[in-house]
Amino acid sequence: MNMQNNRQHFNQEQEGAFAPSEAGMNALLGMAGKQLNTDPQRLKAQLESGRLDEVLGGLDPQKSAQINSLLQNPQQLKSLLQSPQVKKLMDTLAKQK
C-alpha cells in the first residue's frame, strides 16, 4: 500500500474520531515545524498535498525511517493514536481556541 492509499485508508477509519480546533492544529504544526526545522505553513502545505517525503527530509535518516515504517503499518499507527499519551495531547489540542 503506498503512502497516499495508506493515508486515505487511515482517514476513512478515523473519520469523526478526532477533529482538532484550528488553534490546536496550528499549535501542532508549530511544534512539528520546530522539530523539522521548517515553516509551519510550508509543512501544512506539504502534508495537505501528500508530499511526506519532503516533510521527512528534515529529519535524520533513522527518525525518518521509523516514521515511514509507522506510516506503512495502519494497525501500528492506529495503536499509537489510541495510546493514552496521544489521546491526552489530542484532547488538549482540540480544546485550544
Side-chain angles (χ1 to χ4, degrees):
M1 187 181 308
N2 66 31
M3 289 280 209
Q4 186 70 20
N5 289 341
N6 188 28
R7 187 173 60 158
Q8 288 172 347
H9 174 74
F10 178 74
N11 286 342
Q12 289 169 353
E13 284 184 5
Q14 295 299 316
E15 205 169 292
F18 173 68
S21 67
E22 185 174 341
M25 281 301 296
N26 289 336
L28 188 57
L29 284 167
M31 289 186 290
K34 285 181 185 178
Q35 290 293 315
L36 297 169
N37 197 28
T38 190
D39 176 66
Q41 292 304 319
R42 182 171 183 237
L43 177 60
K44 180 179 180 181
Q46 290 170 330
L47 291 170
E48 287 175 345
S49 68
R51 297 187 322 253
L52 295 178
D53 54 334
E54 291 180 26
V55 172
L56 299 178
L59 294 174
D60 69 65
Q62 183 179 4
K63 286 184 181 178
S64 181
Q66 288 173 336
I67 292 171
N68 272 321
S69 174
L70 179 65
L71 292 173
Q72 294 296 322
N73 185 337
Q75 193 62 32
Q76 186 179 11
L77 183 57
K78 185 176 180 180
S79 176
L80 173 69
L81 291 174
Q82 291 176 342
S83 73
Q85 297 89 348
V86 172
K87 283 185 176 184
K88 183 177 179 181
L89 174 63
M90 292 173 132
D91 287 342
T92 300
L93 292 173
K95 291 176 186 175
Q96 291 182 357
K97 294 190 182 203

